[in-house]
Amino acid sequence: MMRPAPWIALLAALLTWPAHAGLFDDAEARKEIMRIRDDHTARLDALESSSRASLQLANQIEAMKAEVARLRGDVELLMHDMESVKKRQQDFYVDLDARLRTLESGAAGPAAQIDPAAESRDYENALNLLKSGKYAEAATAFDTFVTTYAGSSFLPSAHFWAGSAALQAKDIARATQHFNTVVNQWPQDARAPDALLGVANCQRAMGERRLEQNTLKAVISQYPDSAAAKSAKQRLGS
């Protein structure tokens, strides 16, 4: 039997090579397409996760802005109260000097029922406890103040800060009572909008979200120009 010539074998190899090469290229192409598809799917998943995280972050930022606004309002109220205490102390010393002069002249006037110095001192001490983060002690100090000085002009503020301290101390029922006292007895007082917002904070702490939303709407409708209304709008929006 004759062997095929070498050139014939080479020709046969060349004729069959493109078919094998085509099969090889097709398989590689399918692998590349699957790789690109998987990579694209992974990118889409990562983008969706990033979008969800961005939305959650935006909501958290809005909530933090509302909380910062509320805290800023509390700080401003504290500073205002401290200035009021200093003013009352100055007035007391002026009044005391006038009384002493009257006594020296022999014309004694009626005795004061409330000692303004003690009133200012006790109110300032309660405020300092609150500023120091001693919430339970501050709540007790304000409770004592409103009982001792039932006719004080500081009563609306004292009830408001008593509610704030009690809320921080997790005594929700006590906080609600003080906030409602301000809202019901002094609805036109400067503390009333924040007191009503404090009621909403208590409702939130109790998990009463529907009542909280209704109270936030009441803050907006009753005190539309207040800082408390701005905070309520932000909370409802988030």
Side-chain angles (χ1 to χ4, degrees):
M1 184 175 180
M2 295 181 61
R3 295 182 178 180
W7 66 268
I8 295 175
L10 178 60
L11 180 60
L14 289 174
L15 289 173
T16 58
W17 181 79
H20 290 292
L23 291 173
F24 176 78
D25 291 343
D26 187 59
E28 289 297 322
R30 284 197 298 269
K31 289 182 180 179
E32 182 64 15
I33 290 172
M34 293 179 65
R35 185 189 68 77
I36 294 174
R37 184 194 64 186
D38 293 342
D39 182 65
H40 184 65
T41 301
R43 288 175 181 270
L44 285 177
D45 291 341
L47 181 61
E48 290 179 359
S49 298
S50 177
S51 298
R52 287 194 296 269
S54 298
L55 181 59
Q56 292 176 354
L57 180 60
N59 290 337
Q60 291 175 357
I61 289 174
E62 288 302 319
M64 289 178 65
K65 286 181 179 179
E67 184 64 17
V68 168
R70 185 187 67 80
L71 290 175
R72 185 181 292 114
D74 284 351
V75 171
E76 291 175 355
L77 288 174
L78 276 170
M79 295 300 296
H80 179 270
D81 280 347
M82 294 297 291
E83 289 299 322
S84 297
V85 168
K86 292 179 181 179
K87 179 64 168 57
R88 285 180 65 86
Q89 287 178 334
Q90 292 173 355
D91 293 343
F92 165 71
Y93 289 122
V94 172
D95 180 69
L96 179 62
D97 182 68
R99 287 174 181 272
L100 288 175
R101 291 179 184 275
T102 301
L103 288 173
E104 289 174 356
S105 65
Q113 296 181 356
I114 295 179
D115 182 353
E119 178 189 9
S120 297
R121 180 198 64 224
D122 291 349
Y123 186 79
E124 186 174 3
N125 288 340
L127 279 177
N128 287 330
L129 288 172
L130 180 60
K131 289 167 60 179
S132 300
K134 299 177 180 179
Y135 302 119
E137 293 91 334
T140 299
F142 280 116
D143 281 344
T144 301
F145 181 89
V146 299
T147 301
T148 304
Y149 305 101
S152 173
S153 60
F154 285 130
L155 281 185
S157 296
H159 278 287
F160 172 76
W161 292 122
S164 299
L167 180 59
Q168 293 293 334
K170 309 302 181 184
D171 191 346
I172 309 302
R174 186 179 182 185
T176 302
Q177 181 180 1
H178 280 293
F179 287 139
N180 278 324
T181 298
V182 178
V183 173
N184 295 329
Q185 294 190 19
W186 300 282
Q188 303 305 318
D189 189 83
R191 297 292 183 271
D194 293 288
L196 191 55
L197 187 63
V199 173
N201 292 336
C202 292
Q203 291 166 342
R204 183 170 189 173
M206 294 294 291
E208 298 172 339
R209 302 309 292 269
R210 186 180 297 276
L211 290 177
E212 177 199 359
Q213 290 186 346
N214 291 338
T215 303
L216 291 175
K217 293 175 182 177
V219 173
I220 297 170
S221 64
Q222 295 178 29
Y223 307 100
D225 299 325
S226 66
K230 182 178 180 180
S231 180
K233 290 177 182 178
Q234 291 175 337
R235 284 169 58 173
L236 286 173
S238 62

